[in-house]
Amino acid sequence: MAFELPKLPYALDALEPHISKKTLEFHYGKHHQGYVNKLNGLVPGSPFENADLEEIIKKSEGGIFNNGAQVWNHTFYFFQLSGSPKTSPGGALKSAIERDFGSLEDFKEKFSNAAATLFGSGWAWLVKNADGKLEIVQTANAGNPLRDGKTPLLTCDVWEHAYYLDKQNLRPAYIEEFWKVLDWDVVESRF
Amino acid sequence: MSFIQPELKYDYTALEPYIDARTMEIHYTKHHAGYTSKLNNAIEGTELDGKTIEEVLSVVSKFPAAVRNNAGGFYNHNLYWDVMQPGGSSEPKGELADAINAAFGSLEAFKDVFSKSAAGRFGSGWAWLLKDGNELKVESTPNQDNPLMDVSDVKGTPILGIDVWEHAYYLKYQNKRPEYIEAFWKVINWDEVDRRFKG
């Protein structure tokens, strides 16, 4: 069965003015769709013909890994964003963030720094380790923490295509906007 | 002694319509200038202070990642601006043309190999035409790595290079990296490539 591009739960202009419609048209309509198309071109006849994305992320290499992980990463990224987000975490997630980072503000600062300093293309992640502890990790290119046995809770795409039309070289300005459309409701449900 | 970003030999508009002025300006004044200042910060007060950029590249493994990333960003962009020119591409001549034909069969065959290498680099990086002894070869490297670095799997002297970080083409070409690569062939300064080939 071919992989499909999931339909976004919001309109392409829903994240304005923080993330532009034009950026989403390319990011979702061209990049995300492109990874789906390339994956569907590579999987038939490979050992991953009947695999789901998680199995591809954990076991594959090369083009199948790159495109499979990028399909998963982008779905995970887009589905945690909203034009009317819950702006801070509550409940058990809030407690865990305070336990492991001190405060929400401390966490956001550390996460923003991880996103800003990843050199080249990649992703910053908040993950839950096997022992339940929260951690911030960076992955290069298509990298995904599932491969290291960690559970992703939220992610920020820092490939230049995620922000170049809106912010050009100013990645930190994009990360500031990212926080304004991050829906903590979704992050809580993943936790 | 710190590194100084070389002046561009042409205006930001000079490579239009192939590379747009806004991309040129941001690429040169923000990205390249940023690598230059961060490189100077990274080497200040270290034994690298006063070395040539080639000497720095040859020992990056012994220093923090900021040296590798920014020395590469400085050198790579210096080369990139120099191997482009306004007014259309020249043609490779003489020994360089012979070496390209010997290695790839023809100029067109070389361009095809190079374009595929540039398009196939996943994520950020560069594709290169390299001189390795008397041989020419095409390779790509990730991020701001460079074949002169001791950490690089790929070795040789770069004589032509294309930047395939998205910042090099996203404002004009967005996701269509192959169209940017096609445009690059319209602005090659083969005299500069030849100078590097003979150097």
Side-chain angles (χ1 to χ4, degrees):
Chain A
M1 240 230 348
F3 293 97
E4 287 181 14
L5 182 68
K7 193 168 160 22
L8 283 186
Y10 46 80
L12 292 175
D13 62 359
L15 307 181
E16 299 249 9
H18 308 294
I19 296 177
S20 70
K21 181 181 179 191
K22 190 170 182 204
T23 290
L24 277 193
E25 282 172 351
F26 283 104
H27 200 181
Y28 172 73
K30 302 294 182 186
H31 291 280
H32 199 183
Q33 179 74 64
Y35 294 125
V36 171
N37 295 347
K38 284 184 188 158
L39 181 63
N40 284 330
L42 292 169
V43 159
S46 80
F48 298 94
E49 192 141 20
N50 297 309
D52 62 13
L53 288 176
E54 288 203 14
E55 188 181 346
I56 285 173
I57 287 169
K58 287 174 181 166
K59 296 181 184 165
S60 70
E61 304 289 341
I64 292 182
F65 173 78
N66 285 341
N67 289 290
Q70 285 295 75
V71 171
W72 194 101
N73 294 354
H74 281 89
T75 301
F76 197 76
Y77 170 79
F78 287 128
F79 275 68
Q80 64 183 9
L81 305 180
S82 167
S84 49
K86 182 180 182 187
T87 55
S88 60
L93 176 59
K94 179 172 186 281
S95 305
I97 286 174
E98 289 170 353
R99 179 194 68 209
D100 294 331
F101 301 103
S103 69
L104 178 63
E105 284 315 305
D106 286 337
F107 159 69
K108 284 169 84 168
E109 190 182 323
K110 285 189 187 118
F111 186 94
S112 296
N113 188 53
T117 58
L118 179 107
F119 191 71
S121 300
W123 302 78
W125 305 83
L126 173 65
V127 300
K128 185 166 69 172
N129 288 336
D131 63 2
K133 195 175 185 317
L134 302 186
E135 185 188 7
I136 294 166
V137 297
Q138 300 170 318
T139 61
N141 295 333
N144 182 303
L146 288 169
R147 203 159 162 110
D148 302 316
K150 301 170 194 277
T151 305
L153 302 177
L154 82 84
T155 192
C156 184
D157 186 351
V158 294
W159 283 60
E160 288 173 321
H161 66 229
Y163 59 88
Y164 213 79
L165 296 177
D166 293 341
K167 307 291 183 187
Q168 296 83 51
N169 59 304
L170 304 175
R171 190 191 289 183
Y174 153 71
I175 297 166
E176 282 305 304
E177 302 288 3
F178 168 81
W179 291 119
K180 295 176 185 161
V181 291
L182 175 67
D183 189 353
W184 282 97
D185 212 19
V186 177
V187 185
E188 281 175 28
S189 71
R190 292 166 175 173
F191 178 72
Chain B
M1 248 264 302
S2 55
F3 289 104
I4 296 168
Q5 185 184 16
E7 280 190 29
L8 270 188
K9 298 185 174 84
Y10 41 82
D11 294 337
Y12 299 138
T13 56
L15 304 181
E16 294 262 14
Y18 304 109
I19 298 181
D20 61 290
R22 186 158 174 249
T23 294
M24 281 296 303
E25 180 167 3
I26 296 170
H27 202 172
Y28 179 78
T29 66
K30 305 295 183 186
H31 294 280
H32 192 194
Y35 292 124
T36 307
S37 65
K38 287 179 187 169
L39 169 61
N40 286 327
N41 290 340
I43 64 170
E44 190 180 359
T46 74
E47 64 194 89
L48 296 175
D49 212 336
K51 303 280 191 200
T52 67
I53 189 62
E54 288 82 1
E55 287 169 334
V56 173
L57 293 173
S58 71
V59 294
V60 292
S61 66
K62 301 186 180 69
F63 294 88
V67 172
R68 172 180 180 169
N69 294 340
N70 294 298
F74 175 76
Y75 177 98
N76 295 345
H77 287 89
N78 289 354
L79 180 144
Y80 178 67
W81 309 128
D82 276 358
V83 297
M84 295 191 290
Q85 66 176 12
S89 292
S90 48
E91 291 280 325
K93 296 187 283 265
E95 286 177 29
L96 173 59
D98 293 344
I100 288 173
N101 289 335
F104 305 101
S106 68
L107 179 61
E108 285 313 307
F110 154 66
K111 285 183 177 179
D112 192 49
V113 170
F114 186 95
S115 295
K116 283 200 171 80
S117 178
R121 164 55 54 185
F122 187 75
S124 299
W126 293 74
W128 307 101
L129 174 60
L130 299 173
K131 188 179 169 191
D132 189 7
N134 288 322
E135 299 280 306
L136 292 182
K137 61 184 183 181
V138 168
E139 301 279 4
S140 76
T141 53
N143 294 333
Q144 295 296 353
D145 282 0
N146 169 303
L148 297 173
M149 287 181 179
D150 60 350
V151 292
S152 179
D153 295 334
V154 171
K155 301 289 184 193
T157 303
I159 64 172
L160 173 67
I162 184 171
D163 186 349
V164 293
W165 283 58
E166 288 172 322
H167 67 232
Y169 59 88
Y170 209 80
L171 296 178
K172 185 171 173 70
Y173 297 98
Q174 294 87 42
N175 58 305
K176 297 177 285 290
R177 188 191 288 183
E179 289 187 14
Y180 156 68
I181 298 166
E182 276 307 300
F184 177 72
W185 293 120
K186 310 287 190 194
V187 294
I188 304 296
N189 181 349
W190 281 105
D191 292 340
E192 175 63 20
V193 181
D194 189 51
R195 195 187 67 76
R196 290 169 182 266
F197 174 72
K198 288 175 175 147

